[in-house]
């Protein structure tokens, strides 16, 4: 297994896809995806374009769909919800499909949607993702951070490091054997430095500060939790993730 970490979708090699890809957007798309599936949603379908989301979701009755839209950290006007995992209660989402478009996370998922295996990772479901990857033993594995509008983000790279660190520890591979690029070493080092204080790291991160200005303190606390949901979102068709 060779593991590659890319800080943003734009940094992935053109014209290539891995055997397995993990999209990461800790604040907050992949955290929300794991949460909504854990709460009993039928599936999550991701879009980069809001108009396309509206058009596709029109085929579903209002009782069977939820539209989630976020731009710049704020809820899109007219949508049922924004991008807060705290809104994903069983009472609200059970049996429904979440149609979601966010500033960054949905772009990461769309970049890797042609890989043989695609999943969504966050701190809250790190253990489930790692367990699946180790069982599958893909020859090439990408962890793709969402970043913020094409730029590096601390929280996504720290989460990539958390996943990589756990794979490294559990497979007994040396770092030289596992790491496909330098970013793997950097991400593991970032995670190792902050693993016991992820919430403080979020407060230093530019997107964390952006969400704090929007009064999303509780979202940050929730997203900073490790291994609290045993959920593996897997892509079953391009852009659609379910618990298989």
């Amino acid at each position: 297994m060779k593991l590659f970490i890319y800080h943003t979708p734009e940094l992935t090699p053109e014209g290539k896809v891995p055997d397995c890809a993990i999209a990461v957007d800790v604040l907050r798309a992949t955290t929300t995806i794991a949460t909504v599936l854990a709460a009993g949603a039928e599936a999550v379908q991701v879009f980069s374009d809001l108009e396309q989301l509206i058009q596709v979701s029109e085929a579903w009755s209002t009782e069977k769909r939820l539209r989630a839209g976020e731009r710049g950290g704020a809820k899109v006007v007219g949508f049922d919800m924004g991008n807060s995992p705290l809104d994903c209660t069983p009472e609200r989402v059970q049996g429904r499909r979440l149609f979601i478009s966010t500033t960054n996370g949905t772009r990461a998922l769309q970049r890797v949607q042609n890989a043989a295996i695609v999943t969504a990772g966050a701190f809250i479901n790190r253990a489930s993702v790692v367990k699946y990857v180790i069982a599958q033993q893909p020859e090439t594995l990408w962890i793709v951070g969402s970043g913020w509008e094409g730029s590096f983000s601390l929280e996504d790279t720290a989460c990539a490091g958390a996943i990589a660190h756990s794979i490294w520890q559990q497979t007994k591979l040396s770092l030289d054997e596992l790491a496909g690029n330098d970013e793997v070493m950097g991400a593991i080092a970032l995670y190792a430095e902050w693993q016991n204080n992820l919430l403080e790291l979020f407060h230093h991160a530019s997107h964390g500060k952006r969400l704090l200005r929007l009064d999303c303190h509780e979202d940050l606390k929730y997203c900073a939790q490790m291994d609290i949901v045993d959920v593996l979102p897997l892509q079953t068709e391009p852009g659609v993730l379910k618990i298989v």
Side-chain angles (χ1 to χ4, degrees):
M1 185 193 312
K2 273 292 183 185
L3 168 61
F4 299 81
I5 290 175
Y6 299 102
H7 299 311
T8 69
E10 292 80 5
L11 291 172
T12 57
E14 288 188 24
K16 293 184 179 180
V17 291
D19 298 306
C20 178
I22 304 165
V24 173
D25 184 8
V26 172
L27 298 176
R28 296 163 285 173
T30 55
T31 302
T32 296
I33 288 168
T35 302
V36 75
L37 290 174
E42 179 265 340
V44 178
Q45 190 162 351
V46 302
F47 298 84
S48 57
D49 182 76
L50 292 170
E51 293 302 320
Q52 186 186 19
L53 184 158
I54 292 169
Q55 183 180 358
V56 172
S57 63
E58 279 295 321
W60 292 66
S61 70
T62 54
E63 293 79 19
K64 289 295 183 181
R65 74 172 187 231
L66 281 169
R67 291 170 174 163
E70 170 267 318
R71 288 295 183 270
K75 176 178 173 288
V76 174
V77 175
F79 278 56
D80 300 306
M81 52 192 284
N83 189 22
S84 174
L86 301 181
D87 291 338
C88 302
T89 61
E91 295 77 17
R92 189 172 198 183
V93 307
Q94 194 158 27
R96 303 173 89 173
R97 177 168 293 206
L98 184 73
F99 296 85
I100 186 170
S101 179
T102 71
T103 306
N104 302 292
T106 47
R107 289 189 304 109
L109 281 160
Q110 290 192 324
R111 167 59 187 92
V112 297
Q113 69 181 13
N114 291 327
I117 300 170
V118 177
T119 185
F123 285 114
I124 65 166
N125 71 329
R126 190 258 325 240
S128 299
V129 170
V130 170
K131 181 181 178 182
Y132 180 79
V133 167
I134 291 174
Q136 294 296 313
Q137 288 290 314
E139 187 172 333
T140 55
L141 170 65
W142 289 5
I143 306 176
V144 181
S146 298
W148 177 261
E149 296 184 344
S151 63
F152 173 92
S153 68
L154 280 172
E155 69 278 1
D156 289 346
T157 299
C159 185
I163 295 168
H165 182 270
S166 188
I167 292 171
W168 171 41
Q169 294 294 301
Q170 293 187 48
T171 59
K172 308 298 184 185
L173 293 170
S174 70
L175 274 177
D176 284 341
E177 290 172 313
L178 180 64
N181 60 2
D182 289 355
E183 287 87 337
V184 175
M185 295 286 290
I188 289 175
L190 179 65
Y191 167 68
E193 178 68 22
W194 291 93
Q195 60 183 313
N196 297 317
N197 207 346
L198 293 172
L199 183 58
E200 184 181 345
L201 178 68
F202 290 0
H203 280 246
H204 289 297
S206 58
H207 191 39
K209 292 175 182 177
R210 194 175 291 110
L211 291 173
L212 289 171
R213 290 194 293 271
L214 293 168
D215 202 25
C216 296
H217 299 76
E218 295 304 315
D219 276 32
L220 264 63
K221 290 179 184 178
Y222 178 82
C223 295
Q225 297 177 95
M226 185 75 77
D227 302 335
I228 61 167
V229 295
D230 184 14
V231 166
L232 180 76
L234 278 178
Q235 182 176 262
T236 56
E237 59 184 276
V240 178
L241 296 115
K242 297 184 177 184
I243 298 174
V244 179

